[in-house]
C-alpha cells in the first residue's frame, strides 16, 4: 500500500508551504498575518507615495510667478529697460552732440548717419531724440518716488491712527485735488528760472501725492482690521511694530500699482508743461521741447515732430502696460 502524500502545507508550521489565507474574521490568525507582513515590508521599504504638498506661495511670489508668464509684462519690462539704459548711457547708440547744430541743414530730411533728419536749428533729430529720454525718465522716476513716499507715509499714518489726523489729511488732499494740473503748472513754474529738472519734479510731487495718499489710506484701513493685526494688538505690540511689520507689507500693493501707472502719466505731464514753455527749458534736451519747436513746421518738416512724439508715446505706453500687468498680478479678484 502506498503512503498518503503529505499536505501541501503543515498547519502547525506556517512557515512551510503555502501562505495561510486570512480568515476575514479579525481573529488572532489575521493579526499574526498583519504583523508578518509588516515585518517583511518595513516602512523604509514601502513604495514612495506622492510627495509633500507644495509650500504655499506668498502674495509677492505668486505675483512674480504670474508676471513671468505675462507677455505684456515681459515686453513692457524689456522696453523700459532699454529706455533706462539709453537714458543713462545715450552714447551707446548716439555718438553725436545734441547741442551741435548747423543752420545750413535746417529742416533737411534723412541723410547718411542722420536717419531722422534735422530740425529748424539744424540739430540732429536722432541724437536729440535719444538724449531726450534722460530728462523724461529722470522726471518720471524722481516724481513717482517722491509722490509715492510722501503720499503713502501721510495716507498710511492717517488711516492707521484715524481721528483728527485723518480728517485733516482728507481736507488738505481735497484742496490739492481741486487745483487743475496744467493751470497750476503755468502759475507755479512760470516764476521759476531754473533750467534743471527739479522744479518740475517738485511741482509734480506737490500735486501727485494726494492720489497716492488716498489709495494708501484706504489700503491701511482695510489691512488693520484683519485678525492678525488684532491679535498683535492683543499681545501688546506697539503701534510702530504693528504698522511696520503687519500693516504696511499687506497694504503696499495698491500703492505700487498706482505709482507704476502714474509714472507714465508724469512723463506725459512733463512733456505737456515743456510744450507750453513752463516745464524744462533749453539747453535741457527734452521731447516736450522738441515737439513744441516742431509743431509750427509740421507741414514742411513732419519728421521733426514724428520721432520725438513717437518716442514719448512709446515710453508712456510701456509704463502704463507695466502698471496694468502689475495690477492684474497683485489683485486676486482679477485672476
Amino acid at each position: 500500500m502506498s503512503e498518503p502524500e503529505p499536505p501541501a502545507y503543515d498547519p502547525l508550521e506556517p512557515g512551510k508551504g503555502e501562505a495561510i489565507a486570512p480568515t476575514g474574521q479579525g481573529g488572532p490568525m489575521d493579526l499574526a498575518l498583519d504583523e508578518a507582513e509588516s515585518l517583511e515590508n518595513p516602512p523604509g521599504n514601502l513604495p514612495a507615495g506622492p510627495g509633500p504638498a507644495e509650500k504655499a506661495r506668498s502674495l509677492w511670489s505668486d505675483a512674480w510667478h504670474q508676471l513671468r508668464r505675462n507677455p505684456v509684462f515681459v515686453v513692457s519690462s524689456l522696453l523700459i529697460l532699454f529706455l533706462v539704459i539709453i537714458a543713462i548711457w545715450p552714447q551707446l547708440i548716439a555718438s553725436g552732440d545734441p547741442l551741435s547744430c548747423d543752420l545750413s541743414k535746417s529742416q533737411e530730411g534723412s541723410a547718411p548717419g542722420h536717419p531722422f533728419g534735422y530740425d529748424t536749428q539744424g540739430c540732429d533729430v536722432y541724437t536729440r531724440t535719444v538724449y531726450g529720454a534722460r530728462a523724461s525718465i529722470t522726471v518720471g522716476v524722481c516724481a513717482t518716488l517722491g509722490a509715492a513716499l510722501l503720499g503713502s507715509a501721510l495716507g498710511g499714518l492717517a488711516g492707521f491712527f484715524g481721528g483728527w489726523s485723518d480728517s485733516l489729511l482728507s481736507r488738505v488732499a481735497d484742496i490739492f485735488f481741486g487745483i487743475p494740473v496744467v493751470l497750476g503748472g503755468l502759475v507755479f513754474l512760470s516764476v521759476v528760472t531754473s533750467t534743471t529738472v527739479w522744479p518740475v519734479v517738485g511741482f509734480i510731487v506737490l500735486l501727485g501725492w494726494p492720489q497716492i495718499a488716498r489709495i494708501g489710506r484706504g489700503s491701511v484701513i482695510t489691512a488693520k482690521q484683519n485678525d492678525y493685526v488684532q491679535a498683535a494688538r492683543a499681545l501688546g505690540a506697539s503701534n510702530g511694530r504693528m504698522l511696520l511689520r503687519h500693516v504696511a507689507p499687506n497694504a503696499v500693493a495698491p500703492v505700487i500699482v498706482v505709482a507704476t501707472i502714474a509714472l507714465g502719466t508724469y512723463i506725459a505731464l512733463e512733456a505737456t508743461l515743456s510744450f507750453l514753455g513752463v516745464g524744462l527749458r533749453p539747453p535741457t534736451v527734452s521731447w516736450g521741447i522738441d515737439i513744441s519747436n516742431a509743431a509750427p513746421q509740421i507741414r514742411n518738416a513732419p519728421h521733426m515732430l514724428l520721432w520725438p512724439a513717437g518716442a514719448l508715446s512709446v515710453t508712456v505706453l510701456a509704463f502704463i502696460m507695466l502698471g496694468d500687468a502689475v495690477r492684474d498680478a497683485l489683485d486676486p479678484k482679477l485672476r
Side-chain angles (χ1 to χ4, degrees), residues 292-314:
S292 177
N293 295 333
Q297 307 297 332
I298 188 172
R299 292 187 176 181
N300 300 327
H303 65 274
M304 293 172 47
L305 178 65
L306 175 64
W307 297 110
L312 175 64
S313 301
V314 170

Side-chain angles (χ1 to χ4, degrees), residues 37-82:
E37 291 178 358
S38 64
L39 290 176
E40 293 177 1
N41 299 307
N45 296 333
L46 293 176
E54 288 187 12
K55 185 179 179 181
R57 290 195 297 257
S58 64
L59 172 65
W60 300 106
S61 60
D62 191 32
W64 174 242
H65 182 268
Q66 181 178 353
L67 285 173
R68 288 182 301 174
R69 290 159 175 76
N70 189 345
V72 175
F73 173 79
V74 174
V75 173
S76 60
S77 298
L78 292 176
L79 183 57
I80 290 172
L81 179 62
F82 172 74

Side-chain angles (χ1 to χ4, degrees), residues 46 54 94 115 164 188 208 210 217 264 281 286 295 302 335:
L46 293 176
E54 288 187 12
W164 66 268
F188 179 81
R217 171 184 173 273
R281 301 172 185 178
S286 167
R335 299 179 187 174

